[in-house]
Amino acid sequence: MDSRWVRALALMLGLGTALGATAGKLEKAFEALRIHDYFLARRLFQGQVARQPAAAWYGLSIITGRADNPFHQPDSAYTFLLRAEAAYALSDARTKDRIKPLGVDTEALAAQRAYLHGLAWDLARNANTLEAYDRFVQRYPMAEQVADARAVRDHLAFQRARESNTAEAYRAFLAAYPGARQVYEARGRLEEAVFRESTADSSLAAYERFIAEHGESPYVKQAEDAIYRLSTPRRGRDELRAFIAAHPRNHRVPDAWRELYATYVRDLDAAAITRFLRENPDYPFIQELSEDYRVASLVLLPFRHEGAWGFIDEQGEERIKAVYEWVEPFHNGQALVGRAGRTGTVNKGGREVIPVEYDDVSEFSEGLAVVERADKVGVMDRSGELVVPMRFEEVGEQREGLAYAALDGLYGYIDARGNIAIPFSFQRAGSFHGGLAVVERDGRNGVIDTRGNVVVPFMYDWIEGFDRGLSRVRRDGRMGLLGPFGDTVLAPVHDHVGSFTGGPALVVDGKACGYVDRAGRWVVRQELEAAEGVIAWGDFRNGVAEVQVKGKRGAIDSTGRFIIPAQYADVGSFAHGLIPVRRKAKWAYVDRLDRPVTEARYDQARPLVQGLGRVVVEGRWGAIDSTGREVVPPRYEAMADAAHGLLVVRQDGRHGAVDGQGRVRVPLAFDKVVPMAADLVQVERGGRLAYFKPSTERMIWKEEGFDVAVASPQ
């Protein structure tokens, strides 16, 4: 209310009020109001504004607030009410006692305010425009509906920004509605719009300018990727060298160096490595190059001697002495080893790169390995240098240049040198995928970007993570999907949502299920039966999903089209062109057109692995190939899925292996058989190990006491 009006009102009240002179007129005004004589009531109330402002303004608010008279004007009614409330607040006790019998008191004023709020809310909802809701929020800030009005207003404003989809629109939204729920998504979309608009012509200059002007943007890496792509379209040596020289800070420089290296040494020839180093003396990965030069083609296998472990080569020659309590196979040039309860790594030359003095050592990720000792954790690089000090309680794998870490019971993120990149303020934290990481605060999960900005608010019980672009989420026991901007792709209102690993995602509600695509659109409406265990067998695999209709099983493709009619008792997973199906008690294989490939004669039929499908007849295992031909007759007690082209089988309690033609390649003479490569198998008998080479039918090495007479393959 205008301050001048309040001062004038106070002056009038201070001078006193001729109650006796006005009593009759006020009562006549309220009586006229009661019998709906609005013309008389309005005239009388207007005449009493100066003497009895609280009652008069209240009466005028009632008249203009009602729709059954020509004076109806909700805005005026609210203005009159505000004046009445101000006048009432300044009235003395005598005046309040005088007008109370006329129905003018605190409760009446509050009731009129609630009525006018509701009237204005109805008008805003009927208009259903951004401007209408915004006006309601501004005009009626104390209304109980104002929270709903803000929510709808913010939604409409954000939709308008989304339709425009420009940086200017998102900036305007963030400036106008900083408290909106959509600000997290708007910030992400603003960053994307700035990147998109700044690089609209997809030119090298545009990407370089974007990085110069927006160095903190999460899209800098995408811009750097584009610069790398545009600068090296053919990945030629001159292009790669020019890129390295012109963009030394680009995160793709290591890739460029390695690609340049690969153009020289695709076959890891010693002479080619020497030539590369002579022509590129600034190559930063000299240690890797030296290791490549010496042992690139060397294959090392774990072996045991007198209870200790070491490594031999493919000829059975000892390369690393058996001095360890345990070893693991080599991965990326190094192997984890253990001794005296401690862990470290060795390279193929037998040198301990990470000293065997740690309680635990992780596999290398982005060239870094986490090491732990005495409940403190640090990070080492591939050369064995401790690049992150041993001061953390936990450190995760490096992903996109950052790793989560724990310190004093809280989680944050560090870079490859241990510098704090995102403060330690979370109860839990996960690795980054696609520039996003799941974190927990106050028992609720949210998502942050690589700068620590909140992309998804802390409102979920569980968030899967964005390693596949979308993330499944759970809130209050219900599941849905989020997009990479934190936008809701599928509302969390469903019993179960499956993954997108093999096609559209399964969505289950009660006894019905269907499938949605990555945009949350229904590919198959929930018209399928959610039979028992559907969350285990209903996901897409290799572009095909098993479904059930009227108690019968069939299969659909990723468009929702039935490729196998729902006419079977059971259906297996599609692989290598074939699908196992069961009609009544027996299994067969059909192709994608539901054409029989085998007879229905099997008690069990498993999906094909490496082109071979395991089958059972009367308790005996055999195998078919992708044409349906029975390449291994069902005669074995047990059979494992194919690995390295071999099927491990058991007969009379002994293990061996057959190939895809049914030929015995490893005699059935062992307690255990593990294919290691196409022509190398680890075997075990009586707790002793050996390595067998199927092509030569010979052991390349066997542990002392193995002493197995190996029969020739049949």
Side-chain angles (χ1 to χ4, degrees):
M1 178 180 290
D2 189 279
S3 60
R4 292 172 297 178
W5 166 254
V6 174
R7 287 196 298 270
L9 187 58
L11 179 60
M12 287 188 291
L13 291 171
L15 292 174
T17 303
L19 294 176
T22 61
K25 291 183 180 180
L26 265 181
E27 285 152 350
K28 287 179 181 179
F30 277 102
E31 176 60 22
L33 180 61
R34 187 184 68 79
I35 63 174
H36 297 190
D37 188 349
Y38 294 116
F39 285 91
L40 177 58
R42 179 172 177 268
R43 180 170 57 80
L44 291 172
F45 280 131
Q46 287 175 333
Q48 293 300 304
V49 164
R51 290 185 171 84
Q52 282 291 335
W57 287 127
Y58 172 74
L60 290 170
S61 178
I62 295 293
I63 294 171
T64 51
R66 292 180 180 177
D68 60 349
N69 67 81
F71 308 116
H72 177 62
Q73 176 49 258
D75 279 350
S76 296
Y78 193 65
T79 298
F80 295 157
L81 176 65
L82 294 177
R83 294 175 180 176
E85 289 177 331
Y88 189 83
L90 295 172
S91 296
D92 56 24
R94 182 183 177 193
T95 301
K96 290 178 180 177
D97 290 341
R98 168 67 186 85
I99 60 178
K100 183 176 178 63
L102 299 176
V104 184
D105 56 17
T106 302
E107 291 182 3
L109 293 169
Q112 178 66 357
R113 174 181 281 267
Y115 166 74
L116 293 177
H117 285 167
L119 185 62
W121 177 234
D122 289 341
L123 291 172
R125 287 192 299 176
N126 289 337
N128 198 33
T129 64
L130 168 61
E131 291 72 20
Y133 289 114
D134 198 37
R135 184 177 183 279
F136 180 86
V137 170
Q138 300 302 323
R139 176 74 168 156
Y140 307 99
M142 302 303 293
E144 67 178 37
Q145 301 92 343
V146 77
D148 291 338
R150 284 198 186 97
V152 179
R153 176 201 65 184
D154 295 349
H155 171 75
L156 293 175
F158 187 59
Q159 288 301 110
R160 185 175 292 180
R162 284 283 305 272
E163 290 169 5
S164 175
N165 200 28
T166 64
E168 181 181 359
Y170 290 125
R171 286 195 191 96
F173 173 80
L174 290 168
Y177 309 105
R181 181 181 61 82
Q182 296 86 354
V183 295
Y184 304 108
E185 183 179 348
R187 288 173 188 160
R189 291 189 180 275
L190 171 60
E191 298 277 16
E192 186 275 336
V194 169
F195 175 62
R196 171 168 35 83
E197 293 169 13
S198 299
T199 60
D201 64 358
S202 300
S203 67
L204 181 63
Y207 289 114
E208 290 174 337
R209 186 168 54 251
F210 172 79
I211 292 173
E213 296 175 356
H214 305 281
E216 296 299 317
S217 170
Y219 289 88
V220 163
K221 284 190 175 181
Q222 283 187 230
E224 291 182 344
D225 289 340
I227 290 172
Y228 183 42
R229 185 183 68 253
L230 292 170
S231 299
T232 60
R234 291 174 295 278
R235 296 296 195 268
R237 292 179 183 177
D238 290 341
E239 291 177 343
L240 291 165
R241 289 192 189 98
F243 168 78
I244 291 168
H247 305 280
R249 298 176 64 85
N250 190 299
H251 79 284
R252 298 300 299 274
V253 165
D255 296 331
W257 272 119
R258 288 190 169 99
E259 288 212 39
L260 180 61
Y261 175 60
T263 66
Y264 284 80
V265 292
R266 296 191 187 281
D267 297 323
L268 288 180
D269 178 73
I273 293 176
T274 300
R275 179 188 170 203
F276 169 79
L277 193 56
R278 184 173 61 250
E279 295 181 6
N280 302 277
D282 295 331
Y283 185 61
F285 308 112
I286 295 299
Q287 183 65 35
E288 294 178 17
L289 182 145
S290 299
E291 194 71 13
D292 280 351
Y293 187 85
R294 191 169 62 85
V295 294
S297 60
L298 192 62
V299 174
L300 298 184
L301 306 167
F303 85 105
R304 184 169 54 193
H305 177 65
E306 296 180 352
W309 290 86
F311 291 90
I312 58 174
D313 62 21
E314 289 183 289
Q315 284 69 49
E317 295 293 325
E318 181 185 275
R319 291 285 183 169
I320 300 176
K321 290 187 176 297
V323 296
Y324 299 104
E325 293 175 355
W326 57 267
V327 298
E328 292 189 5
F330 274 87
H331 181 68
N332 290 334
Q334 295 189 37
L336 291 170
V337 296
R339 182 177 57 224
R342 294 289 186 261
T343 303
T345 69
V346 296
N347 63 17
K348 288 185 176 181
R351 182 175 69 86
E352 292 184 0
V353 182
I354 296 180
V356 186
E357 58 186 45
Y358 294 96
D359 298 334
D360 195 16
V361 178
S362 73
E363 294 282 359
F364 281 94
S365 175
E366 296 188 3
L368 300 172
V370 176
V371 295
E372 180 180 347
R373 182 171 57 201
D375 296 327
K376 293 297 182 182
V377 174
V379 178
M380 279 191 168
D381 65 15
R382 296 185 63 81
S383 69
E385 179 186 354
L386 188 67
V387 294
V388 175
M390 305 282 295
R391 70 187 189 94
F392 297 99
E393 294 148 17
E394 184 180 349
V395 175
E397 291 185 346
Q398 282 283 327
R399 287 285 186 272
E400 302 176 21
L402 295 176
Y404 66 81
L407 189 63
D408 297 329
L410 293 175
Y411 284 78
Y413 289 84
I414 59 176
D415 64 17
R417 289 288 167 179
N419 300 310
I420 296 176
I422 298 175
F424 289 74
S425 62
F426 306 107
Q427 293 173 323
R428 294 287 176 190
S431 298
F432 275 94
H433 295 282
L436 301 173
V438 179
V439 291
E440 179 182 327
R441 183 178 286 162
D442 297 328
R444 307 291 282 176
N445 285 312
V447 176
I448 60 173
D449 63 20
T450 53
R451 291 187 296 176
N453 295 321
V454 175
V455 177
V456 177
F458 294 87
M459 58 189 294
Y460 293 97
D461 305 325
W462 170 76
I463 300 176
E464 183 176 32
F466 292 86
D467 53 332
R468 295 187 178 92
L470 298 180
S471 175
R472 295 187 291 173
V473 297
R474 184 184 299 112
R475 185 172 67 197
D476 300 329
R478 315 296 287 173
M479 292 186 69
L481 291 168
L482 291 183
F485 295 112
D487 50 315
T488 299
V489 175
L490 189 69
V493 297
H494 302 283
D495 292 346
H496 173 78
V497 177
S499 70
F500 287 98
T501 52
L506 172 71
V507 181
V508 180
D509 284 299
K511 297 183 178 180
C513 63
Y515 295 86
V516 296
D517 63 15
R518 288 180 169 272
R521 298 176 299 230
W522 290 100
V523 176
V524 179
R525 297 249 170 223
Q526 289 182 304
E527 298 169 350
L528 301 170
E529 295 171 11
E532 183 178 356
V534 67
I535 63 174
W537 53 258
D539 285 333
F540 269 85
R541 294 175 178 84
N542 299 319
V544 174
E546 179 183 356
V547 297
Q548 178 168 311
V549 178
K550 296 182 179 179
K552 295 292 186 180
R553 300 283 177 90
I556 60 174
D557 64 17
S558 58
T559 69
R561 181 178 64 89
F562 272 89
I563 58 173
I564 304 297
Q567 60 184 8
Y568 296 101
D570 203 353
V571 174
S573 296
F574 171 76
H576 296 278
L578 300 185
I579 305 175
V581 296
R582 179 167 65 88
R583 194 189 296 273
K584 296 184 179 179
K586 296 295 183 180
W587 287 84
Y589 289 88
V590 298
D591 63 16
R592 282 181 65 106
L593 298 178
D594 195 33
R595 295 177 301 202
V597 177
T598 71
E599 296 179 4
R601 59 181 294 263
Y602 300 111
D603 299 324
Q604 293 185 48
R606 299 295 174 82
L608 273 66
V609 176
Q610 295 188 1
L612 298 171
R614 297 181 294 143
V615 295
V616 178
V617 175
E618 296 180 354
R620 295 288 170 170
W621 289 80
I624 65 156
D625 64 15
S626 58
T627 70
R629 184 169 64 94
E630 201 171 84
V631 293
V632 182
R635 62 187 180 195
Y636 295 102
E637 296 171 356
M639 177 183 289
D641 279 330
H644 298 293
L646 295 176
L647 295 155
V648 176
V649 296
R650 187 184 73 216
Q651 189 73 301
D652 298 327
R654 312 304 287 173
H655 292 80
V658 299
D659 63 16
Q661 301 301 316
R663 296 172 299 197
V664 176
R665 302 301 306 278
V666 179
L668 279 80
F670 307 106
D671 298 335
K672 186 177 180 181
V673 174
V674 180
M676 305 289 288
D679 192 32
L680 184 65
V681 177
Q682 185 188 77
V683 295
E684 181 179 328
R685 183 169 184 177
R688 305 286 181 170
L689 296 177
Y691 289 100
F692 181 78
K693 200 172 182 65
S695 63
T696 63
E697 304 176 12
R698 295 181 180 277
M699 298 286 187
I700 64 170
W701 171 85
K702 59 183 179 180
E703 189 176 358
E704 298 92 334
F706 188 84
D707 295 329
V708 175
V710 180
S712 298
Q714 302 173 6

